[in-house]
């Protein structure tokens, strides 16, 4: 997955800001990536700079074991490091092309865990709608290697809870307010039109 050897950097997108139109609009994509995500990266680097050496540690390692992070920067790493990790994953699992339905072994696993892809989407949407305030909904693997749908508040990561995230949906208002205002349900519906299951598999 993500590997870092020095200062953390804002990852380039594999597609243009307007590539996901009409589902995800260009203006939101641009602000979300070049402002919101960039700010998480800048603030993460700012925090890590207080403890030379930590910037070369893989971010996933820090997030999996936040208690090992020095206390004076723990909250900053959790929030901004989490924001960097979560968004980096998010950009990777969406795209202008690709498979809009699960493929391969994962398709079969989703059917077994949730009944069908339609049922999975219903459960995932219900979890996304019920996130109060800002947060994320995830498809994860638990420690028994089974699929689960979970939600996390703010920029908390599934890693910190011992889960391996496969896909995540950002349900902060900054991810959808310009186009959908308060209509989170419509944003979730648009997400299924831009998700690329071939990358998740
Ligand atoms: Mn966001």
């Amino acid at each position: 997955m993500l590997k870092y050897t020095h200062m953390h950097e804002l990852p380039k997108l594999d597609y243009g800001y307007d590539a996901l139109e009409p589902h995800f609009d260009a203006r939101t994509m641009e602000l979300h990536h070049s402002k919101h995500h960039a700010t998480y990266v800048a603030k993460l680097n700012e925090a890590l700079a207080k403890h030379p050496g930590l910037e070369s540690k893989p971010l996933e390692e820090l997030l999996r074991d936040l208690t090992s992070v020095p206390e004076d920067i723990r909250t900053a790493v959790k929030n901004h490091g989490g924001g960097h990790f979560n968004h980096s994953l998010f950009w990777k699992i969406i795209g202008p092309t690709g498979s809009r339905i699960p493929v391969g072994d994962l398709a079969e696993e989703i059917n077994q865990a949730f009944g069908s892809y339609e049922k999975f989407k219903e459960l995932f949407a219900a979890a996304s709608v019920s996130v109060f305030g800002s947060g994320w909904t995830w498809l994860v693997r638990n420690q028994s290697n089974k699929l689960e749908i979970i939600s996390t508040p703010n920029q908390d990561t599934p890693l910190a809870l011992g889960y391996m995230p496969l896909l995540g949906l950002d349900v902060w208002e900054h991810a959808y307010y310009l186009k959908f205002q308060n209509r989170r349900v419509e944003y979730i519906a648009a997400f299924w039109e831009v998700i690329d299951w071939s990358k998740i598999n």
Side-chain angles (χ1 to χ4, degrees):
M1 287 189 75
L2 306 168
K3 281 223 165 60
Y4 302 96
T5 50
H6 50 93
M7 295 272 283
H8 296 277
E9 285 175 20
L10 181 67
K12 284 204 168 60
L13 300 187
D14 299 331
Y15 42 82
Y17 289 133
D18 61 354
L20 306 180
E21 293 269 11
H23 309 293
F24 282 11
D25 65 291
R27 183 75 183 129
T28 298
M29 287 295 294
E30 182 175 359
L31 287 170
H32 200 176
H33 178 259
S34 72
K35 302 287 185 227
H36 291 283
H37 188 170
T39 301
Y40 294 125
V41 175
K43 292 195 167 172
L44 171 65
N45 284 327
E46 201 179 294
L48 293 177
K50 294 177 188 160
H51 292 272
L54 272 192
E55 76 286 353
S56 58
K57 261 201 151 182
L59 179 58
E60 289 185 29
E61 219 171 278
L62 297 175
L63 293 170
R64 273 201 188 96
D65 187 13
L66 283 164
T67 56
S68 72
V69 175
E71 205 176 348
D72 64 316
I73 62 164
R74 194 173 298 154
T75 300
V77 169
K78 176 179 162 175
N79 291 340
H80 304 300
H84 179 32
F85 175 84
N86 292 342
H87 287 85
S88 297
L89 180 72
F90 187 55
W91 308 131
K92 279 196 183 302
I93 55 115
I94 56 180
T97 57
S99 180
R100 304 307 182 205
I101 55 168
V103 290
D105 293 345
L106 185 59
E108 188 49 41
E109 238 185 305
I110 284 173
N111 289 340
Q112 281 177 5
F114 305 106
S116 65
Y117 181 50
E118 284 309 309
K119 189 70 195 163
F120 162 77
K121 287 202 293 183
E122 272 174 38
L123 293 167
F124 191 94
S128 303
V129 166
S130 66
V131 172
F132 180 75
S134 298
W136 291 73
T137 301
W138 304 93
L139 174 66
V140 296
R141 274 190 197 288
N142 65 24
Q143 287 176 338
S144 312
N145 210 31
K146 297 274 187 262
L147 298 180
E148 275 185 44
I149 295 167
I150 65 163
S151 294
T152 53
N154 305 312
Q155 295 297 351
D156 290 9
T157 68
L159 297 176
L161 302 168
Y163 293 106
M164 175 55 69
L166 302 184
L167 73 87
L169 176 63
D170 186 344
V171 292
W172 284 55
E173 279 191 345
H174 70 221
Y176 63 89
Y177 199 84
L178 279 183
K179 182 175 167 75
F180 299 105
Q181 291 80 53
N182 62 333
R183 304 186 303 277
R184 194 186 279 182
V185 170
E186 290 177 30
Y187 164 66
I188 298 163
F191 174 58
W192 304 126
E193 303 297 326
V194 297
I195 192 167
D196 181 0
W197 285 96
S198 62
K199 292 202 194 134
I200 299 157
N201 198 49

